[in-house]
Amino acid sequence: MSRKLTEGCIAAITSGQTIEKPVVQLLNHKKISSNNAQERYRVIISDGIHYNTFAMLATQLNEKIVSGELPDFTIMSLDQYISSELPNGRTNAVRKVLVILSLTIIVNGREVGEKIGDPKLFEEGDNSAPIPREPSVPQPVSNRNATMNGYAQPAANPAPRFGGQANNDAPTNIIPIVAINPYQNRWTIKARVVSKSAIRTWSNPRGEGKLFSMDILDESASIRATAFTDVCDKFHDMMELNKVYYISRAQVKPANKKFTSIPHDFELTLGRDTEVITCVSDDSIPQIQYNFTPLNALKDIAADSTIDVIGICQQTSDIQNLVARTTRRDLKKRDITLVDSSDASIVISLWDSAAEQFDGSSMPVVAIKGGRLTEYQGGKSISIGNNSTMQINPDIPKAHQLRGWYDSLSDQHQFSNISNKSGGDGNNKVITLKEASLQQLGTHDKTDYFSCEGTVMYVPSDRVIYLACPTPECNKKVVDNNNGSYRCEKCNQIFNNFKYRLILRPQIGDWTGTQWVNMFQDVAEQFLGATADDIGNSKDVYQGRYDEFFRKPLFKTFVFRIAARMDTYNNETRLKMTALQAKPIDFKEASKKLIRDIEKLGGVSVKRT
DNA sequence: CCCCCCCC
């Protein structure tokens, strides 16, 4: 590997020239600590002739220092950087800053092990530097503005790339968001809105008003932008999630890290003078960046974490009205249930306007960024607050993949509900039927899962087969028109055929009580050890063979995995339990457990035999 | 200039 540096590039860049990927050596780095600020690294770089003291790493490169990937003496090319002059407010002096946005390591510093050449401190007005020998195209720039290298310019903007006059139609002087600072005037950023809050009002001793805030990003960094009372409505109407805008003349102020996870030292306040122009050609600006966690992994993640998830909205509750306990504020809440291919389901709580606007009727893909993981009675769920973003059917590969997965799934597919303590997984906690009843499982407008151990008391042998819609994923009972045609209400279609499906409604019992449950095709087949064909399909109700099949499971001990939910049928609402699994278990083991359960109750003496 | 993020 060549250890040759681009001699003279520091002087050239500082004087405003654009040098393509200059090769420099890192001599030193230092963490800049300031209160409330994201950590940043100042670096000393050398081109072999000069070293400078005014280079900074963009925060996204911090990791290279932290991980030890970028030790001192490393030879690297600066693939993207921005050189700015920042007027110092107090002294009127001009301060130079070189922000390194991306770099490529050429030789690791541990291999180099020493300073190359004998570089001297670069000073303002030092013109002794030779013309760089690496190819470069010197470019005239305005002295007061930033120069950039390797930084994507707006495709729709053939206007002057750097400097130039302010012009509404062709925004100029585009700087990367990472370079935003309070000392620089006349900048424009080109940024995508990746999160947008609802309008919120506040009232405190210092006053009252309303505001909304957005997270916006370009390829260099993210930053938060807020609009207050007088311009709140205007910008809230104007700026749409996921669109790209040129933004200039916003106020820059220090970001309070207490309230945002965005790694930028500053944030923007949009005011009366702020100019926002919609950008049509926006391919260079990244989309919302998600870092999805599979739903089943959430049960092992600490409550209060901020997470991104994606799933199919399988269930949507009605809106609940409630009152916040501390603030007495009226709240509207809607719970939706997401499922994903990790075979888990989780409840997501939407609030107020998000709850009102949500339409889950088409079982859409829902992507959530910045959801807050909460824990309640041992289960995990996600709350969508003002700092969260929700996208419905986003046009991203993961969403299309999920859609395909879900649409080819059997409607008997089991998900473990991680929002419910007794959900967890296939080995979820076994409770008694009485406990299930005391916990009112299934009565809260969502599916509750639990397992219990018991025996089968009785299996009614009538209506064990029904005529189902022939559509592969629709198992709805069809209406027999008695003329060779069958109507499916769900598909709203008339067919000339149907398929037979098993449905059993056994009564199960344990030592605390009994319960009727439904068993559909797959579970029923497993349970009986027989198919609909074996039993004898008949369009006219079931005709017999009770002993052969239905006696088999009687009084054997099973572990039942059950979904309980409220169901309305013929205007009657009742608890409906569906057996999702009926697995025979060893009677002796079950008995021992039963004895332990009874002993736990206390006061009951059980004689062991 | 906000900075709460709720409930069972």
Side-chain angles (χ1 to χ4, degrees):
Chain A
M1 270 297 177
S2 168
R3 301 191 170 194
K4 203 163 175 48
L5 306 181
T6 309
E7 294 183 348
C9 68
I10 288 175
I13 291 166
T14 310
S15 72
Q17 292 184 42
T18 300
I19 312 290
E20 288 290 331
K21 303 192 176 185
V23 177
V24 298
Q25 185 181 31
L26 173 68
L27 294 186
N28 202 349
H29 69 273
K30 187 184 173 193
K31 193 193 283 188
I32 305 171
S33 54
S34 58
N35 288 340
N36 262 344
Q38 159 93 3
E39 68 180 33
R40 272 184 172 273
Y41 288 94
R42 190 169 78 169
V43 292
I44 294 178
I45 55 173
S46 158
D47 63 11
I49 302 281
H50 290 114
Y51 66 90
N52 77 3
T53 58
F54 47 81
M56 311 259 294
L57 288 187
T59 47
Q60 72 266 24
L61 297 179
N62 285 357
E63 183 52 31
K64 289 192 190 293
I65 296 273
V66 176
S67 67
E69 194 189 334
L70 193 63
D72 294 346
F73 303 128
T74 293
I75 298 172
M76 60 197 184
S77 68
L78 308 184
D79 302 338
Q80 298 182 12
Y81 59 86
I82 172 166
S83 170
S84 302
E85 289 179 354
L86 311 180
N88 183 313
R90 277 177 310 198
T91 63
N92 268 346
V94 170
R95 189 164 63 93
K96 295 273 188 189
V97 170
L98 179 74
V99 181
I100 300 168
L101 299 174
S102 74
L103 58 86
T104 303
I105 293 170
I106 297 174
V107 189
N108 184 295
R110 280 182 286 273
E111 269 176 59
V112 180
E114 61 179 10
K115 181 167 73 178
I116 294 174
D118 183 24
K120 305 282 188 291
L121 176 66
F122 178 80
E123 313 234 36
E124 273 308 316
D126 186 342
N127 292 320
S128 64
I131 305 283
R133 274 168 290 173
E134 299 295 315
S136 70
V137 184
Q139 203 162 351
V141 291
S142 157
N143 225 14
R144 293 186 54 80
N145 289 320
T147 66
M148 282 170 283
N149 176 275
Y151 189 71
Q153 292 301 303
N157 177 16
R161 290 175 54 173
F162 309 116
Q165 300 297 308
N167 179 331
N168 288 355
D169 299 318
T172 58
N173 193 21
I174 311 268
I175 67 167
I177 286 174
V178 72
I180 288 178
N181 66 73
Y183 313 108
Q184 193 164 4
N185 297 318
R186 291 184 26 190
W187 48 264
T188 300
I189 53 170
K190 182 185 176 187
R192 185 185 301 278
V193 176
V194 293
S195 156
K196 180 182 161 188
S197 79
I199 291 176
R200 188 175 79 244
T201 57
W202 84 88
S203 174
N204 61 31
R206 288 174 301 252
E208 54 185 49
K210 56 182 175 176
L211 73 122
F212 83 99
S213 60
M214 303 177 288
D215 292 343
I216 61 178
L217 66 73
D218 67 10
E219 60 198 346
S220 76
S222 309
I223 196 167
R224 196 160 90 135
T226 306
F228 287 97
T229 315
D230 48 342
V231 292
C232 176
D233 289 332
K234 171 186 157 186
F235 287 120
H236 194 268
D237 288 347
M238 173 177 182
M239 302 187 74
E240 290 176 45
L241 188 65
N242 225 8
K243 293 212 166 154
V244 174
Y245 301 92
Y246 295 105
I247 300 169
S248 57
R249 290 153 72 193
Q251 185 193 340
V252 180
K253 60 179 194 177
N256 189 338
K257 294 290 154 182
K258 203 174 146 191
F259 303 117
T260 175
S261 57
I262 287 194
H264 202 295
D265 295 347
F266 302 104
E267 58 185 46
L268 302 178
T269 301
L270 310 184
R272 287 186 184 286
D273 297 334
T274 300
E275 213 168 70
V276 173
I277 299 170
T278 303
C279 174
V280 183
S281 169
D282 57 9
D283 294 345
S284 67
I285 308 293
Q287 302 285 326
I288 296 176
Q289 304 290 305
Y290 287 106
N291 183 17
F292 294 124
T293 303
L295 299 183
N296 73 347
L298 294 173
K299 62 180 189 291
D300 303 320
I301 293 178
D304 284 333
S305 301
T306 297
I307 37 87
D308 299 352
V309 292
I310 188 166
I312 300 281
C313 173
Q314 201 186 36
Q315 218 175 330
T316 308
S317 81
D318 291 335
I319 289 183
Q320 253 180 287
N321 291 298
L322 34 94
V323 180
R325 206 190 307 144
T326 47
T327 62
R328 312 300 304 156
R329 203 164 75 83
D330 285 327
L331 300 170
K332 288 188 167 66
K333 188 184 84 146
R334 191 198 293 275
D335 282 343
I336 66 173
T337 304
L338 294 193
V339 299
D340 77 356
S341 48
S342 69
D343 286 345
S345 70
I346 191 166
V347 170
I348 316 280
S349 295
L350 312 181
W351 302 90
D352 298 327
S353 60
E356 288 175 316
Q357 284 156 23
F358 186 82
D359 176 7
S361 55
S362 62
M363 293 194 174
V365 176
V366 175
I368 289 162
K369 177 153 193 70
R372 205 172 66 91
L373 197 61
T374 62
E375 190 164 354
Y376 178 66
Q377 291 184 357
K380 293 275 170 54
S381 53
I382 293 172
S383 187
I384 302 304
N386 265 334
N387 295 331
S388 316
T389 309
M390 196 170 67
Q391 263 189 302
I392 307 300
N393 292 324
D395 186 14
I396 55 177
K398 184 72 195 169
H400 300 303
Q401 188 192 324
L402 268 176
R403 183 85 266 160
W405 160 79
Y406 188 78
D407 290 350
S408 63
L409 215 57
S410 148
D411 70 348
Q412 299 298 311
H413 192 85
Q414 295 176 34
F415 295 97
S416 65
N417 179 0
I418 64 173
S419 295
N420 200 302
K421 191 187 192 169
S422 47
D425 49 38
N427 304 317
N428 54 355
K429 196 170 162 240
V430 174
I431 60 175
T432 61
L433 290 172
K434 183 160 186 183
E435 276 179 84
S437 154
L438 286 173
Q439 286 184 35
Q440 298 190 294
L441 293 183
T443 55
H444 298 297
D445 201 36
K446 64 182 179 199
T447 304
D448 284 327
Y449 297 93
F450 67 97
S451 292
C452 64
E453 282 171 359
T455 57
V456 177
M457 319 295 290
Y458 175 57
V459 191
S461 61
D462 59 332
R463 289 180 294 159
V464 297
I465 286 161
Y466 71 97
L467 313 188
C469 174
T471 310
E473 293 310 319
C474 179
N475 294 318
K476 178 85 178 162
K477 184 179 174 181
V478 290
V479 177
D480 187 348
N481 292 330
N482 291 318
N483 60 4
S485 76
Y486 307 88
R487 174 169 174 76
C488 174
E489 304 282 355
K490 191 171 161 191
C491 298
N492 196 20
Q493 250 182 294
I494 293 173
F495 300 95
N496 56 14
N497 61 338
F498 60 84
K499 68 188 176 209
Y500 285 114
R501 276 178 64 84
L502 271 175
I503 181 169
L504 300 181
R505 296 181 183 84
Q507 186 186 43
I508 63 170
D510 65 9
W511 64 283
T512 63
T514 60
Q515 182 67 52
W516 295 97
V517 301
N518 291 317
M519 272 187 194
F520 294 99
Q521 183 81 8
D522 300 358
V523 189
E525 276 188 9
Q526 234 176 357
F527 180 74
L528 291 180
T531 65
D533 284 338
D534 295 335
I535 292 163
N537 292 329
S538 169
K539 207 176 126 176
D540 325 302
V541 200
Y542 168 66
Q543 55 198 345
R545 308 180 79 176
Y546 181 87
D547 285 347
E548 193 177 340
F549 296 105
F550 299 115
R551 276 196 179 282
K552 277 205 294 190
L554 292 190
F555 306 113
K556 279 188 184 166
T557 318
F558 291 82
V559 55
F560 298 99
R561 190 172 143 70
I562 289 177
R565 66 168 195 273
M566 292 308 288
D567 187 56
T568 301
Y569 186 71
N570 283 348
N571 288 328
E572 194 188 335
T573 298
R574 62 169 64 180
L575 187 64
K576 182 173 168 180
M577 291 203 180
T578 302
L580 301 172
Q581 196 182 68
K583 206 162 67 179
I585 53 172
D586 182 79
F587 178 71
K588 276 185 185 164
E589 285 306 311
S591 306
K592 282 184 201 163
K593 189 181 170 299
L594 176 64
I595 291 169
R596 284 197 301 273
D597 282 351
I598 293 173
E599 282 178 340
K600 257 192 284 175
L601 288 178
V604 181
S605 167
V606 179
K607 188 180 176 189
R608 292 173 195 273
T609 54

